[in-house]
């Protein structure tokens, strides 16, 4: 494994551990308000408060606690949405590639239209109508994300279904379900692992964008996007509020992209359909 | 290829795109129509919390919301065909005109972004490939990685803070002058330019390994000349394909970027309309965006045929 991949793997693991176990271990509460301590700057500036190393927001909430807890929300949404999107994509792709015919044409035609549409516009319109909540958010992300996985899965299935080991299994009397799960599923696993990795980064970004607009995760639950949104109005006086979630969000996506690049090279899979 | 066979091909391509346009626009609007009707009572929303039951009933009859859903859907489709999305309850203006009035501001920053992608991204990508082991090329590649990872709302806040609030070089909010478009454009363009840099670099590095480039080099052609004249045309198709897909993504991103800079394009208008429950504006925006996306794909297809050396050679020969 290349050094960059090791760094990416260690870095992503560290972030995941920090946001999962950080708040309980450090005894931090992201929702606790302390109005006298509001808008305290981070530790290196004059006026910093002990116990709030990264500063506080407009309600005196500790930013270290909020960034860790916010990361937990963002990553949970990212993991859940990418896992579900990949699962849907794999099932659809397997069926389209294996069955062929009109199922294949329908699914792929739909995918073509789907992938070309500006997702955020549709998501915002939908959220405006049905309201925002974490389940709605995850559903929308899955709707947006299944296509890449479905297309790549289908392409691989088309390629391997004629190969000897698949034909041998069919000849030996293996049923459809058996062929799909025992022989075709393993063939698409590597490519989907790579797609899943990249997709976690994308999903975290989209969640951040929607929450930033006030259309994603609902306050007071912190997510990196909602903290950025809080910091927007106070940018001039308290620029450190958006600084931390901005840094962690960028770093996370950078590490995840590096990891995806590394996995793609290591597993030697093509994900050209990654649009 | 004879001229006699070109015409039917163009016609057929045109027909395919027309079908695509209709399917896309209709599909998206149908989805939106049923979401709107299923999510609650638009009449109650329009009247507001202070309205009486009589007011709500009156609005419902006026808008035809008391009719069966399928009748409403039929009326809706008829209205769409006449580009009538209703009147914004907040401004009293027809929704489609309100959206079209804001569209130029959005197209301005999206167009500028695409121009930057070609005028800045392609040369930087060439630099990164031509001097692959040099420090400057490494710096460009690293910067591109970061620009690809940094979300536009984070970059936007950073640029706003540094160039508008601290240095005071550029206006922070609004869309009154061309200067107001600078920060939104830079925010929008960072990802696109970075991606083009990486695509051009990857395409050129791949082409350098190929025989025809080795031939040029063996005949005494310089490295840069070999890159620009012979390898670059082969790197264009993926760049173009990316820019077509990215245009849809850029239209999405304008929603965030315009909101951030209070830039009065259709993205900000959409978010404002959502918060004000101004559904005619929401529908008109989705319609305009759907048409734009299909139009950009069509343009991309035509350009794709023009820049691909293999296709062009076939057409010439």
């Amino acid at each position: 494994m290349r050094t960059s991949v090791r760094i990416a793997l260690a870095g992503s693991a560290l972030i995941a551990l920090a946001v999962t176990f950080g708040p309980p271990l450090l005894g931090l509460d992201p929702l606790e308000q302390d109005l006298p301590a509001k808008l305290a700057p981070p530790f290196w500036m004059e006026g910093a408060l002990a116990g709030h190393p990264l500063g506080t927001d407009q309600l005196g909430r500790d930013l270290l606690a909020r960034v860790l807890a916010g990361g937990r929300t963002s990553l949970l949404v990212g993991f859940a949405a990418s896992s579900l999107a990949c699962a849907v994509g794999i099932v659809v792709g397997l069926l389209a590639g294996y069955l062929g015919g009109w199922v294949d044409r329908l699914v792929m035609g739909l995918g073509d239209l789907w992938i070309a549409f500006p997702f955020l516009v549709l998501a915002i319109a939908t959220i405006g109508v049905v309201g925002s909540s974490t389940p709605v958010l995850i559903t929308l992300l899955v709707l947006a994300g299944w296509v890449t996985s479905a297309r790549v899965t289908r392409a691989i299935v088309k390629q391997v279904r004629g190969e000897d080991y698949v034909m041998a299994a069919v000849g030996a009397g293996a049923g459809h379900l058996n062929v799909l799960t025992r022989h075709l599923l393993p063939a698409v696993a590597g490519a989907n692992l790579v797609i899943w990795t990249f997709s976690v980064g994308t999903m975290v970004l989209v969640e951040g964008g929607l929450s930033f607009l006030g259309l994603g995760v609902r306050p007071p639950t912190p997510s990196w996007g909602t903290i950025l949104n809080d910091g927007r109005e106070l940018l001039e006086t308290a620029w450190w509020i958006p600084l931390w979630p901005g840094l962690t969000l960028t770093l996370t996506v950078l590490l995840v992209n590096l990891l995806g690049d590394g996995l793609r090279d290591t597993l030697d899979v093509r994900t050209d359909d990654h649009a | 290829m004879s001229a006699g066979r070109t015409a039917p091909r163009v016609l057929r391509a045109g027909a395919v795109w027309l079908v695509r346009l209709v399917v896309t626009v209709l599909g998206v609007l149908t989805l939106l129509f049923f979401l709107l009707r299923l999510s609650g009572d638009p009449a109650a929303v329009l009247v507001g919390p202070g309205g009486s039951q009589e007011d709500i009933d009156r609005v419902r009859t006026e808008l035809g919301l008391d009719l069966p859903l399928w009748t409403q859907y039929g009326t809706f489709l008829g209205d769409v065909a006449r580009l009538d999305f209703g009147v914004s309850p907040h401004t009293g203006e027809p929704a489609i005109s309100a959206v079209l009035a804001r569209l130029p501001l959005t197209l301005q920053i999206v167009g500028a972004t695409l121009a930057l992608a070609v005028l800045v991204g392609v040369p930087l990508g060439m630099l990164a490939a031509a001097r692959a082991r040099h420090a400057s090329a490494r710096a460009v590649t690293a910067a591109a990685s970061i620009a690809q990872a940094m979300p536009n709302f984070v970059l936007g806040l950073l640029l706003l803070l540094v160039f508008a609030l601290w240095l005071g070089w550029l206006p922070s909010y609004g869309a009154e002058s061309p200067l107001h478009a600078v920060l939104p454009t830079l925010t929008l363009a960072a990802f696109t330019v970075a991606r083009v840099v990486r695509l051009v670099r990857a395409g050129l590095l791949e082409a350098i390994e190929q025989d025809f480039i080795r031939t040029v080099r063996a005949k005494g052609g310089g490295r840069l000349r070999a890159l620009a004249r012979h390898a670059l045309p082969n790197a264009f198709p993926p760049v173009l394909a990316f820019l077509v897909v990215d245009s849809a993504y850029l239209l999405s991103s304008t929603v965030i970027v315009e909101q951030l800079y209070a830039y009065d394009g259709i993205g900000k208008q959409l978010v404002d309309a959502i918060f004000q429950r101004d559904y005619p504006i929401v529908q008109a925006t989705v319609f305009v965006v759907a048409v734009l996306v299909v139009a950009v794909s069509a343009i991309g297809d035509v350009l794709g045929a023009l820049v691909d050396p293999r296709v062009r050679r076939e057409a010439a020969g």
Side-chain angles (χ1 to χ4, degrees):
Chain A
M1 237 189 317
R2 290 202 315 246
T3 323
S4 66
V5 184
R6 286 187 194 174
I7 295 172
L9 198 58
S12 332
L14 198 67
I15 292 175
L17 286 175
V19 301
T20 314
F21 300 110
L25 280 181
L26 298 170
L28 296 168
D29 181 357
L31 300 179
E32 190 190 301
Q33 302 184 8
D34 180 9
L35 283 173
K38 72 174 183 184
L39 299 179
F43 62 87
W44 68 87
M45 286 173 67
E46 217 172 301
L49 296 174
H52 298 300
L54 304 188
T56 58
D57 69 4
Q58 69 277 25
L59 297 172
R61 294 175 295 196
D62 182 57
L63 280 173
L64 177 61
R66 285 188 71 71
V67 167
L68 288 176
R72 193 187 146 108
T73 316
S74 296
L75 289 186
L76 270 180
V77 169
F79 276 127
S82 354
S83 306
L84 284 170
C86 270
V88 171
I90 289 173
V91 171
V92 171
L94 280 177
L95 289 178
Y98 188 70
L99 297 176
W102 66 269
V103 179
D104 190 25
R105 283 199 297 277
L106 179 74
V107 166
M108 290 306 119
L110 192 66
D112 276 349
L113 292 179
W114 205 257
I115 214 156
F117 200 81
F119 163 72
L120 210 55
V121 171
L122 201 58
I124 288 172
T126 311
I127 289 169
V129 174
V130 300
S132 73
S133 69
T134 307
V136 168
L137 193 60
I138 292 178
T139 310
L140 283 171
L141 290 172
V142 172
L143 281 177
W146 65 274
V147 180
T148 311
S149 169
R151 286 186 173 195
V152 173
T153 301
R154 167 190 175 267
I156 296 172
V157 169
K158 288 249 159 190
Q159 210 171 44
V160 301
R161 62 173 297 183
E163 283 190 19
D164 292 346
Y165 72 96
V166 179
M167 297 308 250
V170 174
H176 291 310
L177 197 64
N178 191 302
V179 173
L180 281 171
T181 54
R182 296 273 305 276
H183 300 284
L184 297 178
L185 190 59
V188 304
N192 273 291
L193 180 65
V194 175
I195 292 171
W196 180 83
T197 307
F198 280 120
S199 141
V200 171
T202 313
M203 299 291 189
V204 169
L205 277 182
V206 178
E207 180 277 319
L210 285 169
S211 300
F212 176 74
L213 290 174
L215 294 167
V217 173
R218 294 284 281 268
T221 307
S223 88
W224 285 337
T226 57
I227 307 172
L228 280 160
N229 190 19
D230 286 342
R232 202 170 121 202
E233 278 116 64
L234 296 159
L235 191 59
E236 199 159 11
T237 44
W239 47 265
W240 55 85
I241 300 177
L243 172 73
W244 303 115
L247 269 180
T248 46
L249 187 50
T250 307
L251 187 66
T252 304
V253 176
L254 192 64
L255 289 172
V256 165
N257 284 351
L258 265 180
L259 192 60
D261 282 338
L263 275 176
R264 179 162 53 194
D265 294 346
T266 309
L267 297 172
D268 194 23
V269 287
R270 299 199 68 141
T271 48
D272 280 351
D273 246 308
H274 191 83
Chain B
M1 182 195 313
S2 70
R5 289 189 53 197
T6 313
R9 262 180 60 169
V10 169
L11 275 181
R12 205 167 64 195
V16 167
W17 281 109
L18 203 62
V19 169
R20 227 186 144 93
L21 180 70
V22 170
V23 171
T24 305
V25 172
L26 212 62
V28 171
L29 285 175
T30 302
L31 194 69
L32 204 59
F33 171 84
F34 285 104
L35 276 171
L36 281 175
R37 294 307 186 277
L38 293 175
S39 66
D41 188 350
V45 173
L46 284 177
V47 169
S52 64
Q53 188 58 45
E54 284 83 55
D55 289 335
I56 295 178
D57 288 340
R58 185 176 46 77
V59 170
R60 188 175 293 148
T61 319
E62 266 174 27
L63 296 179
L65 294 170
D66 50 347
L67 300 169
L69 201 58
W70 288 109
T71 320
Q72 287 187 44
Y73 182 60
T75 317
F76 170 73
L77 288 186
D79 290 345
V80 170
R82 284 179 283 116
L83 296 185
D84 177 6
F85 294 91
V87 169
S88 160
H90 292 273
T91 61
E93 204 185 341
I96 189 79
S97 339
V99 174
L100 289 178
R102 301 278 199 96
L103 186 61
L105 282 173
T106 299
L107 292 183
Q108 187 182 333
I109 56 175
V110 172
T113 293
L114 293 174
L116 281 179
V118 175
L119 298 177
V120 176
V122 172
L124 279 182
M126 287 180 68
L127 174 82
R131 317 174 67 183
R133 283 177 192 81
H134 197 268
S136 61
R138 280 167 186 265
V140 167
T141 315
S145 294
I146 294 173
Q148 265 195 293
M150 189 179 266
N152 48 29
F153 42 93
V154 173
L155 179 66
L157 285 174
L158 187 69
L159 295 178
L160 186 63
L161 185 65
V162 174
F163 293 102
L165 299 180
W166 285 353
L167 297 173
W169 289 354
L170 289 162
S172 49
Y173 301 110
E176 289 84 45
S177 72
L179 266 187
H180 283 85
V182 174
L183 286 180
T185 303
L186 289 179
T187 309
L188 205 56
F191 177 88
T192 307
V193 171
R195 194 63 201 270
V196 167
V197 167
R198 290 178 67 109
L199 282 173
V200 169
R201 176 179 175 272
L204 290 184
L205 288 180
E206 199 176 308
I208 284 173
E209 300 301 315
Q210 286 175 13
D211 290 344
F212 71 97
I213 296 294
R214 289 215 198 112
T215 311
V216 173
R217 298 273 286 140
K219 283 166 74 181
R223 189 176 166 87
L224 203 64
R225 190 187 139 84
L227 279 178
R229 287 284 304 277
H230 301 278
L232 198 57
N234 286 280
F236 271 139
V239 170
L240 185 75
F242 161 69
L243 287 180
V244 169
V245 174
D246 192 56
S247 300
Y249 177 82
L250 286 174
L251 285 170
S252 276
S253 305
T254 55
V255 174
I256 290 173
V257 172
E258 291 181 1
Q259 187 70 9
L260 179 58
Y261 292 103
Y263 185 84
D264 281 317
I266 60 168
K268 177 171 182 296
Q269 191 179 37
L270 175 67
V271 178
D272 291 345
I274 291 291
F275 284 118
Q276 297 175 333
R277 308 212 146 243
D278 190 338
Y279 294 139
I281 295 278
V282 173
Q283 285 179 339
T285 308
V286 171
F287 170 81
V288 167
V289 167
V291 172
L292 278 178
V293 166
V294 180
V296 168
S297 310
I299 295 170
D301 271 10
V302 173
L303 285 179
L306 289 178
V307 300
D308 192 329
R310 280 160 302 185
V311 175
R312 207 174 44 205
R313 211 168 296 135
E314 194 181 290

